[in-house]
Amino acid sequence: MEDKKSMIGSLRQKAKLFRYSRVGNEKNPNKPEVREERLLDQRMSTSVMDVLQRSRMSSLKSPTHQQPADLRSSSACNSSPDSPLSVTLRKRGGGTGLSDSLDSTGWLSQESVTDAPCEHNISKSTDEMDQVLRLRDTQLPSSESLAEKPHFNRNGSDTFSIHDNEHNNILDMKTESAGVNEHQREAQRTYLLTIYLKEGRGLVIRDRCGTSDPYVKFKLDGKTLYKSKVVYKNLNPVWNESFSFPIRSLDQKLFIKVYDRDLTTDDFMGSCGVELNKLELEKNSEMVLPLDDPNSLEDDMGVIVIDICLSVRDSKNKKHGSTTEDNKRLTESMKKSQLWTRVYTITLVEGRDLPLDGQGDVFVRFKLGEQKYKSKSQVKKVNTQWRERFDFNQFPDASSLLEIEVVGKEGWRYEECYGQCEIDLSGLPLNESTLFTCELDPGRGRVVFLVTPIPCTGASITDLVAPPLEEPHERQNMLVKYSFRNSLKDLRDIGFLQVKVIKATDLMAADLNGKSDPFCVLELGNNRLQTHTIYKTLNPEWNKVFTFPVKDIHEVLEVTVFDEDGDKAPDFLGKVALPLLSIRNGQQVACSLRKENLGGLSKGTIVLELEVIYNSIKASIKTFTPREQKFMEDNAKFSKKVLARNVIRVRNLYRAVCHVNQFIKSCFQWESVQRSIIAFLVFVVTVWYWDFYMLPLFMVLLVVWNYLQIASERVTRDLDTMELYEEEDEDEKESERKGLMEKIHMVQEIVITVQNLLEEIACFGERIKNTFNWSVPFLSNLAFLVLIMATVITYFIPVRYIILLWGIHKFTKKLRSPYAIENNEVMDFLSRVPSDVQMTQYTELSTCSAHSPYRRKRASP
């Protein structure tokens, strides 16, 4: 009994020390967790028999034998896993305090008592075994009366194993830290939800015109993750948009809601939901989700088609942005939505039997998917001629339905639709022109146009490790394709452009955390490609290669960097414009980003490597054909800065013309005798020996002269436009500090200048018109007599002699009359002719009659 009491007292003392060590660790919750790592063969477990022996022989401190930690698998004496008794204790602090305290009481740091083989006689002392069994039944479950020596495995969990040799049971006592750590690891795991919004089918009508303007919102936990763009007047919209969002918990439901865009309140068109915990990890799945609205009477509200993928996102990915797999998945998704498979060349020919309901203009709108084109406005005629050509790209999984609308316009606001029609382009034969004559509304005429489908080659998106021009024989094939001997084959295919978007550095921080989520958009004409988004960085590395077919060597490649902003419109970070003719093949360049108007510099640079291969003969022929118009999505808005810039540009041109005029006058005025003599001799010789070839020869000499001036660096290229932008930015900042009245005066000065310029142009044209329509009979008679005299003189005298006499008169006028006033006879004559405004302002006198208004009024009863 004394041995039992001493043993129980020793165990209580150890348990007390263990409790104190736990309390000490819990007092400082902010203390970082220190996990002691031991190798697998260093794990230890202590049996109850060994505890008894240790308590009896503590004074002798006899050494013990070591045994591997995983007793369940290493010894045949261990029982099945159904028999252990586990006592779980949680460790909150570091393991060192507990080890030190237990070591001070005689518990060794690394020890385990090895049981004898199964044949070992464990019944040496029946009393001791009875004590062990009673101790197991009464004392072990209480953590207050039992202190255990923990051992540390690889995952940081603390275990205490008690071996019952008689019943072949293992009493394995583990702390809660293993389960807690696993729970924390599961809680800290985040996921990346990638959604590719494809299209909607059979959506409900919410507008009076029988259509809707749908857009989609993705909501999670009451917050909007993403908002799509609006597709106007379409019940089968195609979005082709993708986005990604980090998810912390899968016990949520993603809500997809569709709305109809209105001027006041957006109408609800139905919703659907996706349970995140039912998604399969790392698998891209297409879902066709039916829309529903409990408050609506419609049975079928249409469906939304999406591609969704849920992937695991570990801490490293959260720190450094999306992983390579995520980028690859997003790139493949964007490839599917960006790369076009064919090009439709549409030629708008004419309108037939159009209504003539008053004055105004008429134009045609075309739409294919998200691509829109508006023709030029022509004056209303029965048979209106347009003769315009443009291209639409056909994307995979996108609508091939071409929509045409003919609109008549009167004034600034009033528009009238003459009719709409739709053409399915999917079945048209390639490389063949098909003529369409579409009927408009009854009695509103027809519209005629041509459509030619052409297969598209040359557009691609690849990784930096495998650029197309570095593949075997690919470069040689391109050089042969655009060689001189193939100059007359496929004149529309001018060349091939390869753009390596490597990285950007030191970008502007657009988010509150001081970072940005940048992606890059490349535009060449109406063709557009973009990179994936790299999250939370100011120095993104895209490492992507884009290729474009070149249709005009005079096009400009625009590279724009945006910040992805969730459901909002992306924030602008910077832009670069690179003319194709200025590209240096194979040279890596770092371009400074500019502002949205390409005027001033923005923050950051982008590193690109460009290469263009083209045929010079095709490019030269294309130069003399109509240039492709870029699709305009938004209407132009009034800008004081743009107005001031245009006024200054016109003023500069006017000053240049005045400078040339002043130089000619100085020759007539003999301000420099040497210059006037040379000018007089050149004039006489040129007029006397004049032939038409001299006109292009003079232009050739002018081009050569300017080239020599630039080559010798005597004259630099005009960069006034760049300086103008800088000045305008400074003026804008300065004007923000000025008062409202000063701003109004600044705008007023510009408007007055434009007003006066327009008035002079209008007056000049109206005076010429009034000269010939007998508005002032005297001036018209005078012009009639002068023109008869000019006709007779030019009939009998050659024009060469007339011009020569006129020049001699101009050059000798100053010599004959030193104080004569310079004038222009034609302009002096036109200044006497009144304009239309002056004609309405003048009072026309008429003879008095007996039936004047005054007498007629008095004569009336």
Side-chain angles (χ1 to χ4, degrees):
M1 292 297 293
E2 293 179 356
D3 294 339
K4 181 178 179 180
K5 291 181 179 179
S6 61
M7 180 193 66
I8 295 176
S10 177
L11 291 177
R12 288 180 177 176
Q13 183 179 2
K14 294 180 177 61
K16 186 176 182 180
L17 292 173
F18 173 59
R19 186 169 63 253
Y20 287 161
S21 64
R22 291 192 48 170
V23 173
N25 289 330
E26 291 178 349
K27 288 182 179 179
N28 189 6
N30 297 324
K31 182 178 179 180
E33 181 177 359
V34 180
R35 294 180 178 178
E36 184 177 357
E37 297 183 356
R38 302 285 181 95
L39 295 177
L40 185 61
D41 56 357
Q42 292 178 340
R43 299 176 184 176
M44 64 149 210
S45 59
T46 306
S47 65
V48 175
M49 185 71 71
D50 300 326
V51 173
L52 295 175
Q53 293 177 1
R54 183 178 304 279
S55 62
R56 292 174 181 177
M57 306 175 64
S58 60
S59 61
L60 299 177
K61 296 184 179 178
S62 61
T64 58
H65 303 282
Q66 291 186 350
Q67 173 186 354
D70 198 352
L71 298 175
R72 300 180 184 179
S73 60
S74 62
S75 177
C77 301
N78 299 338
S79 64
S80 64
D82 296 333
S83 59
L85 172 64
S86 299
V87 179
T88 306
L89 300 174
R90 183 170 183 177
K91 175 184 174 183
R92 298 187 179 272
T96 58
L98 178 60
S99 299
D100 295 340
S101 62
L102 293 179
D103 288 343
S104 62
T105 60
W107 291 64
L108 298 181
S109 299
Q110 301 180 23
E111 63 179 350
S112 62
V113 180
T114 306
D115 295 335
C118 294
E119 293 82 3
H120 179 69
N121 185 11
I122 61 172
S123 302
K124 290 183 179 180
S125 176
T126 308
D127 296 336
E128 291 182 354
M129 183 55 62
D130 294 336
Q131 293 174 5
V132 170
L133 294 177
R134 285 195 298 270
L135 179 63
R136 183 187 68 179
D137 296 335
T138 59
Q139 299 294 332
L140 287 178
S142 176
S143 61
E144 296 292 336
S145 60
L146 177 63
E148 68 270 21
K149 168 60 182 169
H151 73 269
F152 302 92
N153 55 16
R154 288 190 181 274
N155 61 6
S157 62
D158 306 336
T159 62
F160 172 58
S161 299
I162 300 179
H163 299 262
D164 185 353
N165 293 334
E166 182 178 8
H167 298 88
N168 289 333
N169 290 334
I170 301 175
L171 305 180
D172 188 9
M173 303 177 64
K174 296 186 177 181
T175 63
E176 290 182 1
S177 59
V180 172
N181 289 338
E182 186 67 24
H183 178 72
Q184 290 178 350
R185 190 180 299 111
E186 185 71 22
Q188 292 175 359
R189 176 182 295 177
T190 59
Y191 305 87
L192 187 67
L193 183 66
T194 303
I195 297 177
Y196 174 54
L197 175 61
K198 291 176 135 181
E199 60 181 345
R201 300 172 188 169
L203 302 185
V204 293
I205 298 174
R206 287 292 182 265
D207 294 339
R208 295 181 179 179
C209 58
T211 61
S212 296
D213 305 324
Y215 67 92
V216 184
K217 281 186 178 182
F218 294 84
K219 291 190 174 183
L220 188 66
D221 196 18
K223 297 180 181 179
T224 301
L225 302 184
Y226 184 79
K227 177 182 176 182
S228 72
K229 58 187 176 183
V230 181
V231 179
Y232 292 94
K233 297 181 180 180
N234 201 329
L235 298 180
N236 298 285
V238 178
W239 286 284
N240 288 330
E241 302 179 28
S242 62
F243 69 96
S244 299
F245 195 82
I247 303 296
R248 291 188 176 273
S249 174
L250 297 183
D251 297 330
Q252 303 180 73
K253 187 175 182 179
L254 175 69
F255 290 95
I256 304 173
K257 299 184 178 182
V258 185
Y259 295 90
D260 169 64
R261 179 67 179 270
D262 285 333
L263 295 177
T264 55
T265 304
D266 295 348
D267 299 326
F268 186 64
M269 299 177 63
S271 65
C272 54
V274 177
E275 296 286 348
L276 298 183
N277 53 11
K278 296 182 180 179
L279 296 177
E280 187 175 351
L281 289 178
E282 308 296 341
K283 182 179 180 180
N284 195 5
S285 305
E286 183 182 60
M287 291 187 173
V288 180
L289 305 172
L291 298 177
D292 184 31
D293 183 10
N295 300 324
S296 177
L297 299 178
E298 289 98 346
D299 295 332
D300 184 9
M301 303 189 69
V303 297
I304 293 293
V305 183
I306 65 172
D307 282 345
I308 188 168
C309 179
L310 185 65
S311 58
V312 179
R313 188 181 185 209
D314 54 23
S315 59
K316 183 178 180 180
N317 293 339
K318 289 189 288 184
K319 180 178 180 181
H320 298 287
S322 58
T323 61
T324 304
E325 294 298 328
D326 296 334
N327 292 340
K328 183 177 180 180
R329 189 181 302 108
L330 290 176
T331 301
E332 294 298 328
S333 176
M334 286 188 293
K335 282 182 183 179
K336 189 176 181 181
S337 62
Q338 294 186 70
L339 298 180
W340 54 97
T341 56
R342 64 173 60 183
V343 177
Y344 294 109
T345 300
I346 302 175
T347 303
L348 175 59
V349 182
E350 61 181 355
R352 298 176 183 174
D353 301 329
L354 298 181
L356 291 177
D357 48 358
Q359 297 181 352
D361 300 329
V362 60
F363 60 88
V364 184
R365 291 194 185 105
F366 292 86
K367 182 180 179 182
L368 180 65
E370 294 301 317
Q371 303 169 89
K372 300 177 183 179
Y373 179 81
K374 177 183 175 182
S375 70
K376 296 179 181 178
S377 296
Q378 300 288 347
V379 179
K380 286 184 179 180
K381 296 180 182 178
V382 175
N383 297 318
T384 305
Q385 301 290 322
W386 278 285
R387 309 288 178 175
E388 298 182 29
R389 178 178 295 168
F390 58 94
D391 293 338
F392 276 159
N393 295 333
Q394 177 65 54
F395 297 91
D397 298 333
S399 174
S400 59
L401 200 64
L402 178 65
E403 302 177 17
I404 305 99
E405 181 182 14
V406 182
V407 180
K409 183 177 181 180
E410 294 182 10
W412 292 98
R413 298 181 179 179
Y414 179 72
E415 291 185 358
E416 181 183 4
C417 179
Y418 290 165
Q420 297 178 345
C421 54
E422 296 180 347
I423 301 294
D424 188 5
L425 305 179
S426 58
L428 298 181
L430 292 175
N431 299 318
E432 294 184 13
S433 298
T434 305
L435 180 65
F436 291 94
T437 302
C438 296
E439 295 286 341
L440 303 178
D441 292 345
R444 295 300 182 98
R446 303 179 297 277
V447 60
V448 181
F449 57 92
L450 289 167
V451 180
T452 306
I454 301 174
C456 175
T457 58
S460 66
I461 303 176
T462 58
D463 292 328
L464 189 61
V465 294
L469 290 182
E470 294 183 9
E471 294 181 1
H473 309 296
E474 184 66 24
R475 179 182 295 273
Q476 186 63 28
N477 293 337
M478 286 295 174
L479 293 175
V480 172
K481 182 179 180 180
Y482 300 109
S483 61
F484 178 78
R485 64 181 180 181
N486 294 325
S487 298
L488 300 180
K489 295 181 180 179
D490 192 8
L491 295 179
R492 291 173 54 86
D493 189 8
I494 304 298
F496 178 83
L497 172 66
Q498 175 178 282
V499 184
K500 295 181 181 178
V501 183
I502 301 174
K503 63 180 180 179
T505 57
D506 195 24
L507 295 179
M508 187 190 313
D511 297 337
L512 296 177
N513 58 2
K515 301 291 184 180
S516 294
D517 304 326
F519 66 94
C520 191
V521 176
L522 295 86
E523 293 180 274
L524 184 67
N526 289 316
N527 298 330
R528 181 181 186 273
L529 297 174
Q530 82 175 56
T531 67
H532 57 281
T533 303
I534 299 181
Y535 295 93
K536 297 181 181 180
T537 180
L538 299 179
N539 301 284
E541 294 186 7
W542 292 288
N543 292 327
K544 292 295 179 182
V545 181
F546 300 86
T547 60
F548 293 88
V550 178
K551 296 184 290 185
D552 190 350
I553 196 60
H554 305 284
E555 289 180 338
V556 178
L557 175 67
E558 295 183 357
V559 182
T560 311
V561 182
F562 292 96
D563 168 70
E564 185 178 308
D565 201 9
D567 58 339
K568 300 179 182 178
D571 297 327
F572 176 84
L573 297 181
K575 189 176 184 179
V576 172
L578 302 169
L580 298 186
L581 289 174
S582 66
I583 292 177
R584 300 178 181 178
N585 287 345
Q587 182 176 349
Q588 193 173 111
V589 294
C591 305
S592 299
L593 297 177
R594 295 178 176 271
K595 296 181 179 179
E596 196 165 5
N597 58 7
L598 294 174
L601 293 175
S602 182
K603 186 179 180 182
T605 58
I606 186 169
V607 180
L608 306 170
E609 184 177 331
L610 304 98
E611 190 164 0
V612 60
I613 300 174
Y614 67 97
N615 184 282
S616 301
I617 304 299
K618 293 182 181 180
S620 302
I621 296 174
K622 183 67 175 180
T623 304
F624 297 96
T625 59
R627 188 167 189 172
E628 182 182 15
Q629 297 295 323
K630 196 168 184 179
F631 300 151
M632 300 296 294
E633 297 181 356
D634 300 327
N635 296 326
K637 298 180 181 180
F638 173 78
S639 172
K640 180 181 74 69
K641 183 188 296 186
V642 175
L643 180 60
R645 179 190 63 190
N646 294 337
V647 169
I648 295 177
R649 291 169 61 192
V650 174
R651 186 182 299 169
N652 291 338
L653 292 175
Y654 177 75
R655 289 176 179 174
V657 174
C658 291
H659 179 72
V660 175
N661 188 32
Q662 188 64 31
F663 177 81
I664 296 174
K665 285 184 177 180
S666 67
C667 295
F668 292 153
Q669 296 294 328
W670 294 84
E671 295 179 0
S672 174
V673 178
Q674 180 181 0
R675 182 172 57 189
S676 297
I677 292 175
I678 294 174
F680 178 73
L681 295 177
V682 170
F683 172 77
V684 172
V685 172
T686 302
V687 173
W688 187 259
Y689 294 100
W690 170 258
D691 206 346
F692 187 78
Y693 74 89
M694 293 184 178
L695 179 61
L697 177 62
F698 170 75
M699 295 182 179
V700 169
L701 295 176
L702 182 60
V703 172
V704 172
W705 170 259
N706 287 332
Y707 174 77
L708 294 176
Q709 292 290 321
I710 295 176
S712 61
E713 297 183 355
R714 295 181 181 179
V715 178
T716 59
R717 290 184 175 87
D718 189 10
L719 298 178
D720 291 341
T721 305
M722 179 63 190
E723 297 177 359
L724 173 64
Y725 276 112
E726 298 286 350
E727 293 174 1
E728 285 299 315
D729 290 339
E730 294 177 359
D731 293 343
E732 189 71 20
K733 293 178 181 178
E734 182 180 356
S735 64
E736 291 177 357
R737 297 190 294 265
K738 296 181 179 180
L740 177 61
M741 294 304 298
E742 294 186 11
K743 292 182 182 179
I744 294 176
H745 288 311
M746 292 172 60
V747 177
Q748 186 177 5
E749 292 178 0
I750 299 174
V751 173
I752 290 176
T753 303
V754 176
Q755 173 184 307
N756 294 337
L757 178 63
L758 295 177
E759 183 178 3
E760 291 179 4
I761 296 174
C763 288
F764 181 77
E766 291 173 354
R767 283 168 177 166
I768 295 176
K769 180 196 69 173
N770 292 336
T771 300
F772 293 92
N773 63 5
W774 297 87
S775 297
V776 180
F778 177 82
L779 295 175
S780 298
N781 283 323
L782 181 59
F784 176 73
L785 295 176
V786 171
L787 292 176
I788 289 179
M789 294 175 59
T791 302
V792 174
I793 292 174
T794 53
Y795 180 79
F796 292 102
I797 303 175
V799 178
R800 186 192 310 271
Y801 299 136
I802 297 174
I803 295 176
L804 186 62
L805 291 175
W806 174 84
I808 293 174
H809 167 70
K810 282 291 185 180
F811 274 102
T812 59
K813 185 176 182 179
K814 180 68 175 180
L815 301 178
R816 292 182 286 103
S817 180
Y819 303 106
I821 299 175
E822 284 294 325
N823 68 316
N824 188 313
E825 290 80 3
V826 177
M827 297 302 297
D828 293 340
F829 172 84
L830 290 177
S831 65
R832 268 70 176 186
V833 182
S835 64
D836 290 349
V837 176
Q838 292 173 335
M839 292 289 295
T840 58
Q841 291 175 346
Y842 298 160
T843 302
E844 183 179 358
L845 299 177
S846 58
T847 57
C848 296
S849 61
H851 300 285
S852 65
Y854 178 72
R855 291 185 179 183
R856 195 179 300 117
K857 182 178 180 180
R858 293 186 61 182
S860 61

